[in-house]
Amino acid sequence: MTTTVPSRIATRRRFLACPPTYFAVEYAINPWMDPSRPVDTGAALRQWQMLRDTLLRLGHGVEELPPRPRLPDMVFAANGASVVDGRVLVARFRHPQRAPEAAAHQAWFRRAGYRPTIAELPNEGQGDFLPVGDLVLAGSGLRTSPAAHREAELALGRRIVSLQLVDPRFYHLDTALAVLSEDQIMYYPQAFTPKSNRTLRTLFPRAVLATDQDAAVLGLNAISDGRHVLLTEAAHGLAAQLHADGFVPVPVHLPELLKGGGGPKCCVLELHPAPKEGA
């Protein structure tokens, strides 16, 4: 029996990213962080620049969020806001160490011509809110409040599908699930409750499923433009599955940033088009 491999089409994306100028692991707010392990900030910056240059080479736009001193996790720009169809919901971080990042995001979006809404309930931006098709998949259980899903639905104007995370290693949705295209995702079933797994199987019956080994290197913290998928070079099994499904895996090397619990997707906040004037 012959299986037809889907033809995948890349679409140009715009991202917001923050250089890891002040990156460090000074505290532990996820299981990946260990302040006793040394961090090479220079290496982190070079790895980040390679990620940015790869996105530019693929034809995508990358805006820069200016880093601020004493905010070592600002490099994980995806967590600062959610952006859907030009609507922006600025995050409200659960941990006080990251709370000031929200003001930096709010200021950037205002300068860029957006009209951001400031979240009242705990949510951590695109770490837990991932648009796919006409839906937004939303994570809860570890960082983002379940009640924040309703707030996001009103602010972003799209139906929210709630998913509950249960493994502390996968503290944001984007560490356990990646959107590959308008109708395809990949995820790690063991990171979710049985109810959430039933929801995902119903919505995405042909989803790519990650092994324990690939999930454990944050292989699911990936960036996709509908054809190219940037993922950690250690996720060999996922790369093979993506290739078989018509995608083009693009391995990236970010070992320093992994010490903070982040991969490629954590480093970029996807920007949907800004609202038109007068909208």
Side-chain angles (χ1 to χ4, degrees):
M1 182 177 177
T2 302
T3 302
T4 303
V5 177
S7 177
R8 304 295 182 181
I9 299 174
T11 58
R12 188 178 186 275
R13 311 294 174 102
R14 293 174 60 238
F15 299 102
L16 179 64
C18 181
T21 306
Y22 304 106
F23 176 65
V25 178
E26 299 174 348
Y27 44 77
I29 58 173
N30 68 55
W32 304 85
M33 303 177 82
D34 179 357
S36 69
R37 294 176 65 197
V39 170
D40 185 335
T41 304
L45 183 57
R46 291 190 295 273
Q47 292 162 19
W48 179 89
Q49 289 169 337
M50 185 65 70
L51 174 65
R52 179 201 58 193
D53 292 348
T54 300
L55 289 168
L56 293 172
R57 177 175 57 80
L58 292 172
H60 304 301
V62 181
E63 309 280 349
E64 287 198 14
L65 174 68
R68 295 187 179 184
R70 297 181 295 281
L71 294 177
D73 282 337
M74 269 191 75
V75 62
F76 303 126
N79 307 147
S82 301
V83 186
V84 178
D85 303 326
R87 298 188 182 195
V88 179
L89 179 63
V90 176
R92 182 174 292 275
F93 287 91
R94 183 168 292 278
H95 292 97
Q97 294 94 331
R98 298 197 66 184
E101 294 178 37
H105 278 80
Q106 179 184 355
W108 187 91
F109 279 105
R110 283 184 171 163
R111 289 195 304 271
Y114 293 84
R115 298 176 182 177
T117 299
I118 312 304
E120 296 184 2
L121 298 171
N123 93 66
E124 300 205 351
Q126 221 168 66
D128 273 327
F129 292 105
L130 298 176
V132 54
D134 58 356
L135 305 172
V136 175
L137 302 179
S140 70
L142 297 170
R143 292 291 183 87
T144 294
S145 160
H149 291 183
R150 175 59 178 162
E151 181 182 35
E153 192 167 61
L154 294 172
L156 300 176
R158 285 205 194 180
R159 182 164 74 89
I160 296 286
V161 174
S162 295
L163 303 168
Q164 187 174 358
L165 296 161
V166 294
D167 187 329
R169 294 176 301 165
F170 308 105
Y171 55 95
H172 283 145
L173 183 63
D174 72 357
T175 64
L177 183 151
V179 174
L180 299 172
S181 69
E182 292 297 292
D183 60 0
Q184 179 63 310
I185 66 169
M186 60 181 181
Y187 68 100
Y188 180 53
Q190 289 88 333
F192 298 93
T193 62
K195 180 180 178 181
S196 295
N197 270 291
R198 289 193 295 271
T199 298
L200 290 170
R201 285 195 299 269
T202 299
L203 291 173
F204 305 98
R206 298 185 62 254
V208 174
L209 302 182
T211 64
D212 296 349
Q213 182 178 2
D214 285 339
V217 294
L218 284 188
L220 290 160
N221 193 246
I223 306 166
S224 176
D225 63 12
R227 183 168 186 262
H228 307 96
V229 182
L230 283 67
L231 75 169
T232 178
E233 60 186 358
H236 305 295
L238 274 177
Q241 289 191 77
L242 289 167
H243 179 75
D245 204 21
F247 294 96
V248 179
V250 182
V252 293
H253 182 67
L254 297 173
E256 287 304 308
L257 296 177
L258 183 61
K259 294 176 182 177
K265 178 64 187 76
C266 286
C267 293
V268 297
L269 172 61
E270 185 173 347
L271 302 171
H272 289 254
K276 295 179 181 178
E277 272 195 43

